[in-house]
Amino acid sequence: MRIVLVGPPGAGKGTQAALLAKTLSIPHVSTGDLFRANISQGTELGLLAKSIMDTGKLVPDEVTIAMVKDRLQQSDAAPGFLLDGFPRNTAQAVALDAILKDFGIALDGVLDLEVPEDEVVRRIAGRRICRNDSAHVFHVLYNAPAVEGVCDVCGGELYQRGDDTEETVRTRLEVYHTETEPIIEYYEKQGLVTTIPALGKVSEVTERAIAALKANANG
Ligand code: AMP
């Protein structure tokens, strides 16, 4: 299955993508995670990405698209993939279509996670992520770890993303509305979009997502 996950920052895309990817046995391809890996490795791309990510704006399309193309060519992505955080604008969506056409494949579906804006801000402000695995996500109020600052899953150190500050979140939300939301319409024209509410327990959202993807595959 080849799926794109969309939704505002704080919708739980990373959490759901990791769970869905495991269930569907396909790799979770997160452009945010790929940039963060480049930042921790101190690559040239990481240096560029960090300066832009800290402001909440988008990394230039050219480098982002090249990075995704490279990732999708790796053998583990041959049976399918779950894209999280890409495409982020119409130019990237058009580029993805061209890349997949080149590979002789196409998307199976686009899952749109819907969350009210005040909830998004609450979620992001308290979000803490494990340094060992970005799929281990906690919240200081809603999903607090047993020991403050320590990952329940692997004992790793929990940290607050540098771009999870209130000011940057506002920019990221604005960027989402102006640049990313139009891709939903772009994919609607291809009949690919299923929207699900992303409120409730993590497991409930995952169940909704799986049901939506199955319905999409059968329809
Ligand atoms: P995320 O982890 O998906 O919330 O992404 C964090 C940040 O990485 C974004 O605010 C952007 O600065 C950058 N980023 C992630 N994905 C993309 C993309 N597809 N295009 C441009 N910038 C991106």
Side-chain angles (χ1 to χ4, degrees):
M1 241 185 189
R2 299 179 186 95
I3 304 155
V4 165
L5 208 58
V6 290
K13 290 192 301 293
T15 305
Q16 291 303 329
L19 292 166
L20 290 171
K22 205 168 162 194
T23 308
L24 301 168
S25 304
I26 49 176
H28 166 203
V29 177
S30 153
T31 39
D33 282 354
L34 291 172
F35 286 134
R36 281 184 286 276
N38 273 278
I39 292 171
S40 32
Q41 287 155 17
T43 67
E44 208 174 305
L45 172 61
L47 275 177
L48 168 78
K50 180 160 175 35
S51 62
I52 300 165
M53 286 166 80
D54 282 346
T55 69
K57 300 217 169 108
L58 296 184
V59 178
D61 287 344
E62 205 181 272
V63 285
T64 306
I65 292 163
M67 180 178 77
V68 170
K69 185 170 184 185
D70 190 58
R71 178 63 188 87
L72 295 184
Q73 272 171 315
Q74 289 170 26
S75 58
D76 65 333
F81 49 78
L82 206 162
L83 276 169
D84 158 18
F86 183 93
R88 269 290 218 284
N89 59 27
T90 309
Q92 292 182 7
V94 171
L96 178 63
D97 275 350
I99 290 169
L100 297 183
K101 196 170 171 202
D102 220 30
F103 293 173
I105 53 182
L107 287 177
D108 295 301
V110 174
L111 200 60
D112 170 27
L113 300 186
E114 205 172 48
V115 187
E117 196 141 317
D118 54 347
E119 174 68 12
V120 158
V121 175
R122 263 200 301 276
R123 282 188 189 186
I124 294 187
R127 178 157 75 174
R128 299 292 181 272
I129 297 165
C130 176
R131 287 218 186 267
N132 294 340
D133 188 337
S134 65
H136 304 164
V137 185
F138 298 84
H139 189 283
V140 291
L141 298 177
Y142 305 149
N143 178 26
V147 179
E148 196 187 322
V150 181
C151 176
D152 281 356
V153 184
C154 71
E157 183 199 349
L158 298 181
Y159 77 107
Q160 181 172 30
R161 269 173 49 175
D163 61 349
D164 274 355
T165 61
E166 205 175 318
E167 197 192 331
T168 311
V169 168
R170 282 190 205 294
T171 308
R172 285 161 65 201
L173 276 170
E174 211 177 289
V175 168
Y176 180 73
H177 290 314
T178 55
E179 303 208 32
T180 309
E181 264 179 356
I183 71 168
I184 297 177
E185 202 177 318
Y186 174 87
Y187 285 130
E188 263 166 358
K189 286 189 186 135
Q190 299 183 22
L192 288 172
V193 181
T194 311
T195 301
I196 59 162
L199 289 175
K201 284 194 197 140
V202 169
S203 59
E204 288 167 358
V205 179
T206 311
E207 276 166 28
R208 255 175 245 150
I210 303 252
L213 291 173
K214 275 193 187 149
N216 193 300
N218 295 332

